[in-house]
Amino acid sequence: MNLGSYQSERQPSLSSFLGFMGSICTYGALTQAHQEELVSYGSSSLLVPVEIQEAWRTPLRGSDFSDLYPPLWMKSAGQFSDYKVENGKYIIDPWVYSERMGMYKILVNKTASFFENLVADNEQNILWGLPLQNGWQFRTGRLADPSRRKDCGYESGDVLCISVDSWWADMNYFLCALPFLAAVDSGIMGISSDNVMLLPPPKDETKFCLNVSSCQSSFPEIMSKWNAFYQHLQYPSSSFEDLLEYFWAAHVSTLEKAGKLFEDRLEYYSKPEADFGRNWCVAVKYLAAFLFPTTLIRTSEFQKGLPPRMLVNGDRAPFISDFTDFQNTVLLVLNFLSRMDNSSGLLSLSRWKLLMKTQDVRKQVLELFEIILKIFNPTFLDILNV
């Protein structure tokens, strides 16, 4: 179905959407100095930096991206033998940050060969989005005990401790344990499905699965979607977009299930932080619809727009003084998307999904996304094209 048929069916038009995105770009342009040239898309006119237009035609090239890695990436386990073994099983404690990050590191390393035809250094591996998100949560204090009844996650106690009372930590557990164990089950990790056991949290153990069999029995639909992703990862005929489609289907399904299980955890947080958590879950669905490529560079650059600390009462974007313009703008956009989510307007999620069914539209949205990254981070294209 082409874009014209969308418009004839009174679905949201690309030009209207671009007008909205253009207003965001203009906000950034007013706060930073750029030499820009007018470029038109349909009936919308956007200010687009000239160098952005050139970058759209420039392929990615590999380089050393080690400074983009999440905290403690180099010191975390990189292979199963780095974990202790009991009764022939690798025992992993996902409630210790370095051990959970090690699960991601093994996953990224074991899947590297499937992305090597895209670019060197595994930069285009779309699984990078998972450890980078976990790293941002750790760096900003979101894995610590929000109730402060314990010193889990704080410098005064065990800074590497991940609190089961943290909404962010519990949501992330599902986006770590399930894709990791599904990868084990798929065979790409090189070990038997019954050779890995995760240690339980100190409470609410029944909400979490700890091995392949328990995850399959407790969350069969989610595990099936992750398995589908890994199956297509191994198909030579799978395109990059195919993989993104299966990845995001599994990701969103996981997030939705975890969100229902841990809604009560948000009671520990300030209203701005709780709202941000809910808004972030909505925003992820918008990212999923246009198949945002969760590669190393794009994800790490986008995360610069996320809050650098926990939100507290009184924080109100775009007037948070210790946040950058980019971070304030991202919070504004997340608030807006959340309001639009259940509406019948142009940017309602249902209409957004319809609009994103066209490959050309998805491509232009990604290009605009990179415009925004460039406006708020002038070095973005330098990193992208090293």
Side-chain angles (χ1 to χ4, degrees), residues 1-60:
M1 182 181 292
N2 60 33
L3 184 58
S5 62
Y6 276 108
Q7 294 171 331
S8 65
E9 294 172 12
R10 301 184 67 181
Q11 298 299 336
S13 67
L14 177 60
S15 61
S16 298
F17 165 71
L18 294 178
F20 166 73
M21 294 295 285
S23 65
I24 298 175
C25 295
T26 302
Y27 172 81
L30 290 174
T31 59
Q32 300 190 33
H34 292 281
Q35 295 298 320
E36 300 169 320
E37 139 179 337
L38 193 63
V39 175
S40 294
Y41 286 88
S43 60
S44 293
S45 294
L46 296 177
L47 291 175
V48 182
V50 175
E51 61 269 34
I52 286 281
Q53 302 166 54
E54 294 302 319
W56 292 345
R57 298 183 285 272
T58 305
L60 291 172

Side-chain angles (χ1 to χ4, degrees), residues 151-186:
D151 56 9
C152 176
Y154 295 98
E155 292 185 3
S156 58
D158 183 358
V159 72
L160 296 181
C161 174
I162 296 179
S163 173
V164 70
D165 286 324
S166 163
W167 178 85
W168 293 98
D170 292 343
M171 298 289 283
N172 177 262
Y173 180 95
F174 272 64
L175 283 169
C176 177
L178 272 66
F180 179 83
L181 293 172
V184 171
D185 188 44
S186 73

Side-chain angles (χ1 to χ4, degrees), residues 80 84-92 181 184 190-198 211-212:
F80 283 103
K84 63 181 180 180
V85 179
E86 293 181 6
N87 301 319
K89 298 180 186 294
Y90 295 105
I91 307 299
I92 303 175
L181 293 172
V184 171
I191 65 171
S192 174
S193 294
D194 59 357
N195 281 158
V196 181
M197 174 65 72
L198 307 182
N211 53 33
V212 171

Side-chain angles (χ1 to χ4, degrees), residues 79-302:
Q79 51 193 358
F80 283 103
S81 59
D82 292 332
Y83 292 104
K84 63 181 180 180
V85 179
E86 293 181 6
N87 301 319
K89 298 180 186 294
Y90 295 105
I91 307 299
I92 303 175
D93 187 352
W95 302 100
V96 175
Y97 171 77
S98 55
E99 296 209 20
R100 186 181 292 194
M101 185 57 73
M103 295 167 66
Y104 284 128
K105 189 175 180 180
I106 293 172
L107 184 59
V108 169
N109 288 342
K110 289 290 187 179
T111 55
S113 61
F114 301 106
F115 293 93
E116 63 186 7
N117 63 316
L118 297 173
V119 73
D121 298 323
N122 203 22
E123 190 276 327
Q124 289 285 282
N125 191 327
I126 59 179
L127 289 166
W128 271 116
L130 301 177
L132 287 169
Q133 185 71 175
N134 187 41
W136 164 75
Q137 293 164 355
F138 172 75
R139 187 170 56 248
T140 59
R142 288 178 164 83
L143 301 180
D145 180 3
S147 70
R148 293 187 174 269
R149 289 194 296 262
K150 298 180 181 179
D151 56 9
C152 176
Y154 295 98
E155 292 185 3
S156 58
D158 183 358
V159 72
L160 296 181
C161 174
I162 296 179
S163 173
V164 70
D165 286 324
S166 163
W167 178 85
W168 293 98
D170 292 343
M171 298 289 283
N172 177 262
Y173 180 95
F174 272 64
L175 283 169
C176 177
L178 272 66
F180 179 83
L181 293 172
V184 171
D185 188 44
S186 73
I188 65 174
M189 302 290 246
I191 65 171
S192 174
S193 294
D194 59 357
N195 281 158
V196 181
M197 174 65 72
L198 307 182
L199 295 181
K203 71 174 190 179
D204 294 337
E205 180 178 339
T206 57
K207 291 186 176 183
F208 303 89
C209 60
L210 306 175
N211 53 33
V212 171
S213 60
S214 66
C215 287
Q216 286 177 331
S217 60
S218 299
F219 311 106
E221 183 180 348
I222 298 174
M223 288 292 282
S224 177
K225 289 185 177 181
W226 282 112
N227 273 306
F229 166 70
Y230 294 121
Q231 288 172 12
H232 283 80
L233 187 62
Q234 298 174 74
Y235 294 161
S237 59
S238 293
S239 68
F240 189 62
E241 271 221 336
D242 290 337
L243 296 179
L244 283 170
E245 186 173 346
Y246 282 97
F247 169 80
W248 276 116
H251 190 291
V252 170
S253 179
T254 306
L255 204 62
E256 288 178 341
K257 181 62 178 179
K260 294 175 183 176
L261 285 173
F262 302 111
E263 174 68 22
D264 62 317
R265 299 285 202 262
L266 290 172
E267 296 175 1
Y268 291 122
Y269 298 94
S270 67
K271 187 178 185 304
E273 180 69 18
D275 288 345
F276 166 61
R278 294 187 185 96
N279 294 348
W280 176 240
C281 288
V282 172
V284 166
K285 296 177 183 179
Y286 281 84
L287 292 173
F290 80 87
L291 303 182
F292 175 72
T294 47
T295 55
L296 177 60
I297 292 177
R298 287 187 174 93
T299 304
S300 61
E301 288 302 301
F302 170 62

Side-chain angles (χ1 to χ4, degrees), residues 297-355:
I297 292 177
R298 287 187 174 93
T299 304
S300 61
E301 288 302 301
F302 170 62
Q303 286 194 163
K304 291 178 180 179
L306 298 182
R309 59 164 173 78
M310 299 279 283
L311 297 175
V312 298
N313 291 327
D315 283 337
R316 182 183 177 188
F319 308 111
I320 306 177
S321 60
D322 59 335
F323 281 20
T324 65
D325 291 330
F326 189 19
Q327 290 158 356
N328 271 295
T329 301
V330 166
L331 283 180
L332 275 178
V333 172
L334 295 187
N335 290 336
F336 176 80
L337 291 179
S338 182
R339 291 196 300 272
M340 292 297 101
D341 179 29
N342 295 315
S343 74
S344 58
L346 166 67
L347 288 180
S348 67
L349 184 58
S350 59
R351 291 196 173 192
W352 174 261
K353 287 179 178 179
L354 285 175
L355 183 59

